[in-house]
Amino acid sequence: MNTQFSFNSPTILITGGAGYIGSHTAFLMYKKGYKVIILDNFWQNQSFNHNWAQVIKGDFADKKILEKIFKENQIDAVMHFAAFIEVGESVKNPLKYYQNNVVKTLDLLEVMLKHDVKKFIFSSSCAIYGIPQYLPLDENHPKNPINPYGKCKLIIEETLKDLYNSHNLKFVSLRYFNAAGSLFGENLGERHLNETHLIPLLLRAAKKNKTFTIFGDGYKTKDGSCVRDFVHVSDIAQAHVLALEYLNKNECSDFFNLGTGNGFSVKEIVAAVEKILTTKIKIKVEKRREGDPAILVADSSKANEILNWKPKYSDLENILKSALHFENIIYKDKNYSEEVQKF
Ligand code: UDP
């Protein structure tokens, strides 16, 4: 594998490239020989000591910074990860989401187009579908998001379609299901202030012998708890590489689901973590979290057929063991331990 970019390597701007999915993708792009520029505001206070990318600290919609980046570099494509990501928070504070995830993304697109950059890869989400009318969800499923987070993603997808028509902006929108796991050995993983995601919280509960809360067990699912489709972050990163190759070869744009097609319930994930850590986790059940559909499982055959995307790392054991590997790293990180200890 080529791990050195050359003078002629295409340069990719990655917003949110110091975040969870962005950093895994940025690293893979570097490994594939691209020159990577990361623009990230580091609002998660994450440490990011990697020399394989040029890192610019700043807001992804800061026009001064963007102008400088686009003037000084021949940007081939933009991968846009930077966004707020909590469904529950988006229900409580919609303006925060519309402002950041919609308005500021429009600013980014405006500057891109001004500089004639015409390839865009967007981090979308299965949240755009809302309550499934059938399963697994394919890309043609009606789009009825039930929370502002999903609505923001849909607004940007619609905007991208319009910009494709008006400005010939080529894009791929990747609709992630539940990203999880980490890349072994690269100090990359899921690290959020005020963590809300199932797998890191469960691992912490298990390691610290604390109670884990299941949000609702009265759903119409196999065991009453929500069912999700967990896909390894390295597989998601690989889809971005393939999406860029697709844009390089084709004069069209498209939308793809990224999931495995396997649904695991929250209770099944609890049992799997207990097995891996050979421990029993204390559980309490609370009311449902607002904005949570009962089941989200992907039909990703389109990504398979058109992008040739095949998840390689997404079996549940690998997802959980790699997530645990990173949890063990952040436990030792002095910058971060205070946050984790609060749990
Ligand atoms: N969940 C839970 N307890 C937690 C965190 C999450 O029961 O402490 C459930 C949540 O209600 C959802 C599933 O786990 O059904 C996955 O939630 P997560 O926040 O990880 O991802 P999302 O599906 O919101 O993208």
Side-chain angles (χ1 to χ4, degrees):
M1 195 187 280
N2 181 2
T3 56
Q4 286 285 310
F5 59 81
S6 70
F7 189 65
N8 292 323
S9 302
T11 303
I12 311 298
L13 175 63
I14 303 188
T15 73
Y20 174 41
I21 306 175
S23 62
H24 283 78
T25 304
F27 180 67
L28 188 59
M29 294 303 291
Y30 155 74
K31 296 286 274 182
K32 294 281 178 187
Y34 292 91
K35 182 178 172 218
V36 175
I37 299 179
I38 287 175
L39 174 58
D40 198 298
N41 65 1
F42 287 83
W43 75 278
Q44 301 271 354
N45 289 336
Q46 67 271 48
S47 44
F48 194 83
N49 304 316
H50 301 287
N51 59 9
W52 38 260
Q54 180 187 343
V55 179
I56 298 167
K57 185 171 180 184
D59 193 282
F60 73 83
D62 184 323
K63 288 200 174 171
K64 256 196 196 153
I65 296 177
L66 288 174
E67 286 288 346
K68 191 165 157 39
I69 294 172
F70 285 110
K71 268 189 201 141
E72 289 178 359
N73 302 277
Q74 184 80 39
I75 302 291
D76 181 57
V78 175
M79 294 184 174
H80 180 42
F81 293 90
F84 292 135
I85 56 161
E86 285 176 37
V87 169
E89 185 191 45
S90 81
V91 175
K92 294 198 176 87
N93 194 354
L95 280 180
K96 178 174 171 181
Y97 278 70
Y98 287 110
Q99 183 58 41
N100 191 69
N101 294 6
V102 176
V103 176
K104 284 176 26 179
T105 300
L106 301 184
D107 290 341
L108 168 67
L109 287 164
E110 191 185 357
V111 182
M112 263 181 73
L113 289 176
K114 183 177 159 200
H115 289 268
D116 217 28
V117 176
K118 297 281 181 80
K119 283 182 254 170
F120 190 70
I121 298 180
F122 179 54
S123 299
S124 187
S125 165
C126 60
I128 65 165
Y129 296 118
I131 308 290
Q133 294 177 13
Y134 58 85
L135 287 162
L137 291 152
D138 59 26
E139 288 81 357
N140 294 323
H141 185 282
K143 322 291 178 294
N144 296 310
I146 59 168
N147 50 61
Y149 171 76
K151 289 179 191 170
C152 290
K153 296 291 184 192
L154 187 56
I155 291 169
I156 296 302
E157 286 199 353
E158 291 298 314
T159 307
L160 292 173
K161 283 195 226 166
D162 291 337
L163 291 175
Y164 176 67
N165 291 328
S166 63
H167 289 73
N168 201 24
L169 172 80
K170 293 198 291 178
F171 69 87
V172 167
S173 181
L174 297 172
R175 296 173 180 160
Y176 313 153
F177 281 64
N178 284 63
S182 73
L183 181 64
F184 283 106
E186 295 299 333
N187 196 13
L188 298 173
E190 188 164 18
R191 179 190 306 222
H192 301 116
L193 293 175
N194 301 318
E195 187 57 73
T196 60
H197 290 99
L198 171 66
I199 291 175
L201 288 181
L202 248 182
L203 292 170
R204 288 175 200 180
K207 280 163 71 83
K208 301 194 82 184
N209 197 23
K210 296 266 174 83
T211 301
F212 175 78
T213 304
I214 295 179
F215 297 132
D217 70 350
Y219 288 97
K220 283 191 185 142
T221 59
K222 44 188 155 184
D223 57 22
S225 63
C226 284
V227 170
R228 293 290 181 269
D229 183 337
F230 295 91
V231 53
H232 195 283
V233 64
S234 294
D235 286 326
I236 294 183
Q238 175 64 13
H240 288 75
V241 174
L242 297 171
L244 183 58
E245 287 170 4
Y246 170 85
L247 290 182
N248 289 336
K249 283 190 220 128
N250 296 284
E251 285 311 311
C252 48
S253 294
D254 219 331
F255 307 85
F256 299 98
N257 285 343
L258 299 180
T260 64
N262 299 318
F264 291 99
S265 73
V266 172
K267 288 182 182 173
E268 284 174 331
I269 301 294
V270 172
V273 169
E274 287 181 333
K275 193 169 163 209
I276 281 173
L277 288 172
T278 55
T279 186
K280 196 82 197 142
I281 300 171
K282 288 184 264 176
I283 298 293
K284 72 173 176 194
V285 178
E286 280 191 2
K287 66 178 172 51
R288 296 177 179 195
R289 196 172 63 177
E290 272 183 282
D292 267 348
I295 305 180
L296 293 170
V297 176
D299 175 345
S300 298
S301 47
K302 186 176 168 192
N304 176 245
E305 280 154 29
I306 297 180
L307 299 179
N308 197 23
W309 179 71
K310 295 181 198 78
K312 275 201 250 166
Y313 305 101
S314 293
D315 72 86
L316 188 59
E317 191 177 333
N318 187 51
I319 284 177
L320 295 176
K321 284 188 172 164
S322 64
L324 177 63
H325 163 80
F326 189 68
E327 275 298 313
N328 288 335
I329 291 175
I330 60 179
Y331 260 68
K332 292 180 203 133
D333 180 341
K334 285 200 183 64
N335 290 329
Y336 200 69
S337 53
E338 208 180 303
E339 186 62 32
V340 176
Q341 299 312 328
K342 270 202 291 187
F343 177 79

